[in-house]
């Protein structure tokens, strides 16, 4: 069993300032824990490559990238919305983050890896077709999923998002593409309050109230995600792996722990093994308390790698 671990040191260069929760420390913590536990040595370590302009346009308006480039500062930090900022290196990091998902997809489809995890930032799932928001510049997972759909043998994909925030960007991009099933569990009411009430057969929104016990989260997976997956019959699965539903995360109020992330990953992996040759590409989204984030990623990766 080969699990690719795709990252790039330059993803740490994206820095929105010392007070910003989406900080380079997140990736540093993940790397530190995976090295300390030795798990990193069990993974196929791959360096991310930049995305191309054409690949970005698979999920975004062709002017989206140009607008961000025009705003990119020479020095300091420029805000694109109330909580999303760019420093001079941000678009380089964003390019590597999106490019990592293309690379992961290619490695899984070529058989070089059974599955893959992209430890990258900035995250992506709030970025809409024509809008950067919520710490996200390019929708990394949407670019990867759209790329996968152009490859031979891939007619349908599923994007499963257990980040504590609703994946408005991913829904915006795929709401009218029935070949993409998007399933999302998220704290509600909560940011971003867009598209959470949309009615489409390929969008499965599972709102969860703050302070709900973890079994409600697992029930949503069992009772809403799994039937939709069985009906959709994806050829490949993408995971928007946000770990900010962790009980020690400062950003939200769900009560999950490492073992809950292990359990949901196992449910997804069991489905993928049975129905889509185990093809999974998982991409880091949120998770803002560095140590619980890192141990949650460890649990997620242990399942993907078959430990
Ligand atoms: Zn989040």
């Amino acid at each position: 069993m080969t699990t690719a671990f795709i990252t790039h040191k330059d993803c740490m260069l994206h820095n929105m300032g010392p007070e910003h929760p989406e900080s380079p420390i997140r990736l540093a913590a993940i790397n530190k824990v995976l090295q300390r536990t030795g798990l990193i040595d069990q993974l196929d370590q791959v360096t991310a490559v930049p995305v191309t302009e054409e690949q970005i346009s698979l999920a975004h308006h062709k002017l989206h990238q140009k607008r961000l480039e025009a705003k990119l500062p020479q020095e300091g930090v420029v805000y694109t919305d109330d909580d999303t900022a760019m420093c001079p290196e941000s678009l380089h990091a964003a390019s590597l983050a999106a490019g990592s998902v293309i690379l992961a997809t290619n490695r899984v489809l070529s058989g070089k890896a059974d599955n893959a995890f992209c430890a990258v930032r900035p995250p992506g799932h709030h970025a809409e077709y024509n809008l950067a928001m919520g710490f996200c510049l390019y929708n990394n997972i949407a670019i990867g999923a759209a790329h996968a759909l152009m490859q031979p043998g891939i007619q349908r994909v599923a994007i499963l998002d257990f980040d504590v925030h609703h994946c408005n960007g991913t829904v915006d991009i795929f709401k009218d593409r029935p070949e993409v099933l998007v399933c999302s569990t998220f704290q509600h009411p909560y940011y971003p309050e867009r598209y959470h009430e949309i009615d489409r057969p390929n969008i499965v929104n599972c709102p969860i109230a703050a302070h709900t016990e973890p079994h409600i989260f697992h029930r949503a997976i069992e009772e809403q995600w799994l039937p939709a997956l069985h009906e959709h019959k994806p050829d490949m699965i993408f995971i928007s792996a946000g770990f900010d539903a962790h009980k020690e995360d400062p950003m939200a109020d769900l009560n999950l722990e490492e073992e809950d992330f292990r359990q949901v990953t196992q449910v997804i992996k069991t489905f993928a093994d049975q129905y889509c040759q185990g093809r999974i590409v998982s991409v880091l989204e949120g998770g803002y308390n560095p140590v619980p984030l890192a141990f949650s990623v460890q649990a997620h990766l242990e399942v993907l790698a078959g430990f």
Side-chain angles (χ1 to χ4, degrees):
M1 177 108 228
T2 302
T3 295
F5 179 82
I6 305 181
T7 189
H8 196 293
K9 62 177 174 34
D10 289 358
C11 284
M12 310 261 287
L13 298 177
H14 170 56
N15 195 333
M16 296 185 280
E19 304 299 320
H20 203 291
E22 204 290 276
S23 93
I25 295 167
R26 302 173 60 232
L27 286 189
I30 291 170
N31 280 314
K32 198 169 181 179
V33 164
L34 296 182
Q35 272 167 16
R36 279 212 187 144
T37 60
L39 181 59
I40 195 82
D41 300 322
Q42 311 295 315
L43 308 173
D44 178 26
Q45 297 176 58
V46 182
T47 303
V49 294
V51 73
T52 67
E53 206 174 311
E54 243 170 80
Q55 288 164 340
I56 292 172
S57 71
L58 294 172
H60 291 287
H61 191 288
K62 60 182 187 311
L63 294 179
H64 178 70
Q65 183 187 2
K66 300 266 177 272
R67 284 198 199 100
L68 290 175
E69 280 168 358
K71 278 187 193 161
L72 192 72
Q74 300 275 328
E75 56 184 46
V77 157
V78 164
Y79 273 79
T80 61
D81 74 358
D82 287 348
D83 47 25
T84 314
M86 293 193 294
C87 68
E89 293 81 13
S90 292
L91 286 182
H92 172 53
S95 173
L96 292 165
S100 76
V101 192
I102 303 266
L103 188 58
T105 302
N106 290 345
R107 276 186 106 79
V108 169
L109 289 180
S110 68
K112 282 188 188 155
D114 296 291
N115 53 43
F117 178 75
C118 301
V120 290
R121 55 183 291 279
H125 73 155
H126 292 307
E128 298 188 356
Y129 179 65
N130 204 8
L131 184 66
M133 63 176 275
F135 313 166
C136 302
L137 300 174
Y138 302 141
N139 194 316
N140 308 319
I141 206 158
I143 291 169
H147 168 77
L149 284 164
M150 297 174 66
Q151 310 310 309
I154 305 297
Q155 261 99 50
R156 290 174 306 281
V157 301
I159 299 176
L160 308 178
D161 189 317
F162 56 72
D163 188 280
V164 83
H165 301 96
H166 179 243
C167 55
N168 63 294
T170 311
V171 171
D172 178 57
I173 290 163
F174 293 122
K175 61 187 186 302
D176 297 316
R177 290 190 64 176
E179 68 274 32
V180 183
L181 173 70
V182 181
C183 300
S184 178
T185 49
F186 54 95
Q187 182 175 320
H188 181 75
Y190 201 42
Y191 183 88
E193 302 285 355
R194 294 162 73 88
Y195 290 120
H196 58 281
E197 286 178 330
I198 192 172
D199 185 14
R200 294 280 200 292
N202 65 318
I203 308 295
V204 178
N205 282 333
C206 308
I208 298 175
H211 308 294
T212 299
E213 289 303 308
H215 72 93
I216 300 294
F217 167 78
H218 294 294
R219 193 194 291 167
I221 308 290
E222 294 283 341
E223 294 183 359
Q224 297 185 62
W225 286 19
L226 283 179
L229 279 165
H230 281 282
E231 191 162 325
H232 188 66
K233 299 181 179 61
D235 299 304
M236 183 167 183
I237 288 177
F238 289 82
I239 305 177
S240 266
F243 299 94
D244 41 7
H246 194 286
K247 68 174 187 180
E248 289 171 35
D249 197 281
M251 196 74 88
D253 301 297
L254 291 191
N255 297 314
L256 303 189
E257 298 182 48
E258 284 88 332
E259 290 313 304
D260 295 298
F261 294 117
R262 186 188 304 278
Q263 192 176 328
V264 64
T265 310
Q266 188 61 64
V267 169
I268 296 168
K269 184 160 183 290
T270 300
F271 178 89
D273 286 344
Q274 210 169 347
Y275 296 102
C276 49
Q277 301 171 45
R279 292 167 175 155
I280 297 174
V281 167
S282 177
V283 186
L284 182 66
E285 299 284 359
Y288 301 99
N289 186 342
V291 174
L293 165 67
F295 282 102
S296 300
V297 169
Q298 162 97 14
H300 180 63
L301 274 167
E302 281 173 357
V303 176
L304 289 181
F307 295 122

